[in-house]
Amino acid sequence: MKRPAWLANAVFYQVYPQSFYDSNGDGIGDLPGLIAKLDYIRWLGCTAIWLNPCFVSPFLDAGYDIADYYRVAPRYGTNADLLRLFKEARTRGLRVFLDLVPGHTSIEHPHFQASCRHARNQYSDWYIWTNDIWTDTRDLRSVNGYAERRGNYITNFFWCQPALNYGFAKPDPRAPWQQPVTAPGPLAVRAELQHIMRYWLERGAAGFRVDMAHSLIKNDPGFRKTNKLWRDIRAMLDREYPDAALVSEWSSPIDAIGAGFHMDFAAQFNAPIFNPLFRAPGDAWGSHGYFNARGDGDALAPLEEYLRHYRATQPRGYISFQSANHDMARMSGGRTLPEIEVAMAFILTMPGVPFIYYGDEIGLRMPDDIASKEGGYERTRCRTPMQWDATRNAGFSTAPASKLYLPLDSSDTRPCVAAQMRNPRSLLQRVRTLIALRAATPVLQADAAFKPLYLRKNAYPLVYMRQAGATCAIVALNPSHRPVDVTFRAPAPAGGMRMLLKRGAQITCSGTRCTVRMRGVSYAIAASSA
Ligand code: NOJ
Ligand code: CA
């Protein structure tokens, strides 16, 4: 398998298009708006963008319910705008990933509408239908009473997201409506998936973030047939688009990378790696993981889980840490700006390919109580508009405040890009410095090996090493408010160690004996001088 070389030093920036920048004053962010802000994303130092779905949709799940995979939603612009985005991004050294939603469409998709018909047609088997509307579909959720056709359709997420029919790995003989993966419907759906991918890759997309990647084939213990499906797609990419890449929403790097994905997110679903570190064990909306000044978290269990996945996937693929995404609490939840900075220092010095969620670089906050928008529910809190400056609507839009996609942070002290750009000590500038350090220091990038140096149960700090050949770096992080000093052993590099970046902390090594002295909420990064 080939791996695009650009991933080795990639840093992604996730853009939620409706909330990023509104270029035409209708209150909703759009593609020309994103193009206008590419210089900012490049200034921050990111090398790639993941753009949430931007296709025609009734927006019952904020665009994860697609009605036309080949056409940009008019509220975001036109296909020509998307092609211009690819081009303008590339001239700035930025690659653009689209969001691929392979598992379900919108109920408004013409294929689904055709599939709803009583008379058999080309699309009858493109979705999963039972034989009558009274079937108990057990652990698969379904909707009955919607269509003229006699049957329930299986859903993947909301009622309005009918599952495409990729077949069942082990169809239940008592349920003849469950088709094998080799049936004509599932084969046609697969071919269409590849067609959509080729269509956008051909026009300049650099790859895809793949929604619910593990869930296409139903009843597939061990993901055996799901793996085959994705491995075929990976083979297609390696053959035809060797520079393109895929990141999965799977949350199990061993499985996802085994299935041929280039990268998998550490977060999402039950997230045993991500949540205990950054949110709360088992809760993407909690705010008291290890990276919190209360200092009552544990890094050992999640990092042991990380190491299990890391060791099993090296060097085939990458584990991606995110600062947050559009489905979970922002990094600012329950954290001060210095605490966010320590968390960012971790994300930006770990192996794999890091992702920054728009706004986390300035500590964008979440409203406590907000009406659900477009199927967001609790998630609506982390989808509010980017705050650019101190002008009206924080520079997001010239629309009247009542027309904005979502309300802005209403406090006088709301963070914004312009003010943080002016302040050399701001979170924004520190995140930029961390990204620049990663860009300039290969041993901090995706491929260099990772080894914990000080990692104890329920203890602070966390210290680890990155190593590539004779070069190494040491990263020490103390998210807790309590100062702490620890001594540990580390390999002694020939020319000794030099500090690269620090905030309230110091690393000193003599021979193989290293000491870190750390204030509360501090970090330090050192590397071998040779
Ligand atoms: C995961 C996406 O991130 C989320 O926003 C969406 O609602 C579901 N998949 C369904 O597509
Ligand atoms: Ca707009």
Side-chain angles (χ1 to χ4, degrees), residues 18-195:
Q18 52 270 63
S19 295
F20 200 55
Y21 183 56
D22 171 23
S23 71
N24 62 354
D26 65 356
I28 302 181
D30 46 54
L31 295 180
L34 170 53
I35 293 169
K37 296 298 184 184
L38 287 174
D39 285 333
Y40 166 73
I41 297 171
R42 192 56 208 154
W43 172 86
L44 185 58
C46 293
T47 61
I49 293 170
W50 155 26
L51 182 62
N52 285 100
C54 60
F55 303 106
V56 171
S57 165
F59 294 104
L60 297 176
D61 185 18
Y64 280 95
D65 48 331
I66 297 176
D68 185 347
Y69 286 77
Y70 300 97
R71 200 154 71 84
V72 167
R75 77 183 200 184
Y76 296 136
T78 61
N79 280 22
D81 290 326
L82 184 54
L83 302 201
R84 196 158 60 84
L85 170 68
F86 295 149
K87 206 159 133 263
E88 293 285 334
R90 213 48 95 90
T91 59
R92 290 165 176 82
L94 288 163
R95 290 176 159 83
V96 179
F97 271 32
L98 295 175
D99 210 313
L100 183 68
V101 187
H104 47 268
T105 68
S106 153
I107 42 169
E108 290 188 9
H109 196 293
H111 295 169
F112 182 67
Q113 286 300 319
S115 200
C116 287
R117 296 268 165 273
H118 174 73
R120 268 197 75 77
N121 61 67
Q122 185 189 346
Y123 300 105
S124 296
D125 291 336
W126 278 46
Y127 295 81
I128 309 174
W129 293 91
T130 61
N131 292 337
D132 65 71
I133 63 162
W134 310 117
T135 310
D136 176 2
T137 51
R138 294 164 189 266
D139 47 342
L140 292 170
R141 270 182 292 171
S142 64
V143 170
N144 62 356
Y146 174 81
E148 135 191 317
R149 174 176 180 157
R150 292 189 197 140
N152 310 9
Y153 63 84
I154 302 295
T155 62
N156 268 351
F157 196 69
F158 289 150
W159 72 275
C160 53
Q161 289 161 309
L164 282 156
N165 184 16
Y166 290 88
F168 287 71
K170 290 183 188 288
D172 181 344
R174 289 158 307 173
W177 51 273
Q178 299 188 359
Q179 302 184 347
V181 297
T182 49
L187 291 181
V189 168
R190 260 190 213 212
E192 174 62 11
L193 171 60
Q194 296 209 8
H195 193 262

Side-chain angles (χ1 to χ4, degrees), residues 61 64 104 157 209 211-212 249 326-327 379 383:
D61 185 18
Y64 280 95
H104 47 268
F157 196 69
R209 174 269 190 185
D211 190 71
M212 297 175 69
E249 185 198 36
H326 61 291
D327 292 331
R379 305 175 297 176
R383 299 174 174 185

Side-chain angles (χ1 to χ4, degrees), residues 155-456:
T155 62
N156 268 351
F157 196 69
F158 289 150
W159 72 275
C160 53
Q161 289 161 309
L164 282 156
N165 184 16
Y166 290 88
F168 287 71
K170 290 183 188 288
D172 181 344
R174 289 158 307 173
W177 51 273
Q178 299 188 359
Q179 302 184 347
V181 297
T182 49
L187 291 181
V189 168
R190 260 190 213 212
E192 174 62 11
L193 171 60
Q194 296 209 8
H195 193 262
I196 295 166
M197 295 176 80
R198 284 199 180 93
Y199 182 88
W200 290 114
L201 291 169
E202 212 47 62
R203 284 161 182 75
F208 301 93
R209 174 269 190 185
V210 181
D211 190 71
M212 297 175 69
H214 61 284
S215 71
L216 304 192
I217 292 173
K218 308 303 182 200
N219 192 13
D220 186 17
F223 301 112
R224 296 223 352 254
K225 299 212 165 161
T226 309
N227 281 5
K228 170 83 171 75
L229 183 154
W230 286 116
R231 284 178 158 277
D232 288 349
I233 287 180
R234 174 64 182 267
M236 180 268 276
L237 292 185
D238 285 356
R239 221 171 31 239
E240 297 172 37
Y241 305 96
D243 208 34
L246 300 176
V247 58
S248 50
E249 185 198 36
W250 192 312
S251 221
S252 178
I254 289 180
D255 292 308
I257 292 164
F261 282 92
H262 301 77
M263 321 170 242
D264 184 35
F265 292 121
Q268 212 67 331
F269 308 122
N270 69 348
I273 301 171
F274 187 88
N275 287 350
L277 287 173
F278 296 108
R279 300 296 184 266
D283 177 11
W285 292 91
S287 59
H288 293 121
Y290 183 75
F291 284 90
N292 190 288
R294 283 176 22 164
D296 58 0
D298 175 47
L300 180 63
L303 284 181
E304 277 180 342
E305 179 66 358
Y306 172 82
L307 280 165
R308 187 170 77 80
H309 285 272
Y310 174 74
R311 289 187 184 121
T313 54
Q314 279 302 298
R316 289 173 298 135
Y318 297 125
I319 300 174
S320 283
F321 280 105
Q322 302 162 284
S323 64
N325 69 24
H326 61 291
D327 292 331
M328 68 171 89
R330 283 188 173 277
M331 203 48 118
S332 61
R335 278 185 197 86
T336 60
L337 296 183
E339 290 172 76
I340 298 175
E341 186 183 328
V342 179
M344 291 288 198
F346 173 82
I347 288 172
L348 291 165
T349 55
M350 283 296 280
V353 179
F355 281 65
I356 310 272
Y357 184 46
Y358 83 96
D360 278 356
E361 73 278 22
I362 57 169
L364 201 74
R365 300 169 189 150
M366 296 180 294
D368 287 330
D369 183 26
I370 187 169
S372 177
K373 177 94 177 186
E374 298 185 344
Y377 300 96
E378 187 169 37
R379 305 175 297 176
T380 309
R381 297 176 60 209
C382 63
R383 299 174 174 185
T384 61
M386 184 62 170
Q387 292 162 188
W388 293 102
D389 57 36
T391 64
R392 185 156 145 232
N393 295 332
F396 163 66
S397 169
T398 56
S402 62
K403 287 256 159 23
L404 300 185
Y405 179 73
L406 282 170
L408 291 150
D409 178 347
S410 56
S411 95
D412 299 343
T413 59
R414 70 180 171 209
C416 76
V417 170
Q420 293 200 18
M421 268 187 169
R422 287 193 299 270
N423 174 2
R425 291 143 70 100
S426 65
L427 177 63
L428 175 62
Q429 292 285 4
R430 301 295 295 219
V431 169
R432 182 172 182 245
T433 302
L434 281 161
I435 296 174
L437 184 64
R438 186 175 173 104
T441 318
V443 75
L444 292 177
Q445 295 171 3
D447 290 305
F450 167 81
K451 194 175 153 222
L453 294 176
Y454 188 91
L455 172 61
R456 307 265 163 91

